[in-house]
Amino acid sequence: TDFDSKKKRKVAEIYQALNSDPIDVAALRRMAISEGGLLTDEIRCKVWPKLLSVNTDDLPPLPAGKELREDNKDYQQVLLDVRRSLRRFPPGMPDDQREGLQEELIDIILHVLKRNPQLHYYQGYHDIVVTFLLVVGDRLATALVEKLSTHHLRDFMDPTMDNTKHILNYLMPIIDQVNPEVHDFMQSAEVGTIFALSWLITWFGHVLSDFRHVVRLYDFFLACHPLMPIYFAAVIVLYRKQEVLNCECDMASVHHLLSQIPQDLPYEALISKAGDLFVQFPPSELAKEAAQQQAERTAASTFKDFELASVQQRPDTVLRQRFRERFQGEERTKSILTKPRTNRFVKLAVMGLTVALGAAALAVVKSALEWAPKFELQIFP
């Protein structure tokens, strides 16, 4: 069928990128974002480490579980959370196999925390770790999770929730840019953003019941900026705009509606849309509204170092390039694009275009060296 041949072609392109010298990280990011993501767990085992700049030839051996568990202040809480994580394992998995994986899960978490005393465990962290464990196995999962915890997840692992709340503060400005009516309705209902907390801190692992959807989102998030999950959260709310507007305008009703996430979301369309919104309304443009007081302490800023480390292949190049090629020469539109809310109609027209072109239209990523920091849609504040 047509789908199978498309899939075969994509697999071939992924292996070509993996085998090129140096490895074509930009192409791998593009594959992870574009329709269908990385397709198989076998491919994820090879590509996820590249997206996180983890050297798989040099994985440290895992320490024995017993020494990790003695005198570990987080052990009891981790144990409780992992015991409650039954539904994160494939249905029908034999009990002894699942129990073995749960032991590995505890060890991975304690190992990362022990090696990085600046990180604080939070409930929901295990939902992210179990996703890696199930896809890549314990040794590689440990290395990937450690890198992720010191970069993308860094804000969630502070002693306080301040930075996490700060990231949640981006949700309403994104919704406001796209649909002021939904934004104003949610403001009137005083619903806040806590309904999206578990989405954000587990990368949706906790709320989606189908594991295939979870790993598809992980492909996307690993290839993008650390704030992409909040854009994805906004896109889910916007997708449900009719349900939201039909709801009673009070906190309890709207919170209840939004915290129950539908399982049959059109993931590919939403991923495409989230990527588009990220390029149109980059975090730096929304930062004032999100009241960015701690810029230097958030993942977005440590991400700069991470970026340079990952062979200068910026994940947003994929999105930016795709956007730029489409609007080359439209200087007038571009200047309108960067003005706030008043020119929303132009933005919406652009968005219609973007959505029509969809994830499959991700343009070829040119070498990151031509990334001009002065480009108008600058992503880092």
Side-chain angles (χ1 to χ4, degrees), residues 328-377:
Q328 215 120 43
E330 295 191 28
E331 290 306 314
R332 197 181 57 83
T333 318
K334 210 195 281 181
S335 62
I336 294 173
L337 269 179
T338 45
K339 292 204 188 90
R341 193 165 159 167
T342 44
N343 289 306
R344 181 171 294 123
F345 292 107
V346 176
K347 284 188 170 172
L348 290 175
V350 169
M351 196 169 304
L353 245 180
T354 322
V355 173
L357 287 160
L362 278 163
V364 178
V365 185
K366 300 282 192 298
S367 128
L369 297 173
E370 62 154 41
W371 184 84
K374 288 190 283 297
F375 185 63
E376 262 189 325
L377 296 172

Side-chain angles (χ1 to χ4, degrees), residues 88-156:
R88 291 302 319 277
F89 292 89
M93 177 182 272
D95 286 353
D96 53 345
Q97 190 188 349
R98 190 202 68 240
E99 284 158 16
L101 284 167
Q102 286 178 306
E103 292 302 312
E104 288 176 9
L105 182 55
I106 292 170
D107 288 347
I108 293 172
I109 294 171
L110 297 179
H111 175 70
V112 172
L113 293 171
K114 187 172 183 180
R115 278 174 47 102
N116 300 274
Q118 77 282 15
L119 300 178
H120 296 260
Y121 177 75
Y122 65 88
Q123 281 183 287
Y125 181 67
H126 70 287
D127 279 301
I128 288 189
V129 181
V130 73
T131 306
F132 283 89
L133 173 62
L134 290 170
V135 172
V136 303
D138 62 345
R139 267 190 81 189
L140 185 48
T142 306
L144 297 182
V145 165
E146 181 165 11
K147 183 53 117 18
L148 203 66
S149 303
T150 51
H151 290 91
H152 293 65
L153 309 178
R154 179 69 189 84
D155 293 333
F156 311 147

Side-chain angles (χ1 to χ4, degrees), residues 284-305:
S284 55
E285 215 183 278
L286 303 171
K288 288 185 195 67
E289 295 169 70
Q292 191 162 22
Q293 296 123 1
Q294 310 146 292
E296 55 299 336
R297 280 179 50 210
T298 61
S301 56
T302 55
F303 193 68
K304 287 177 188 166
D305 315 331

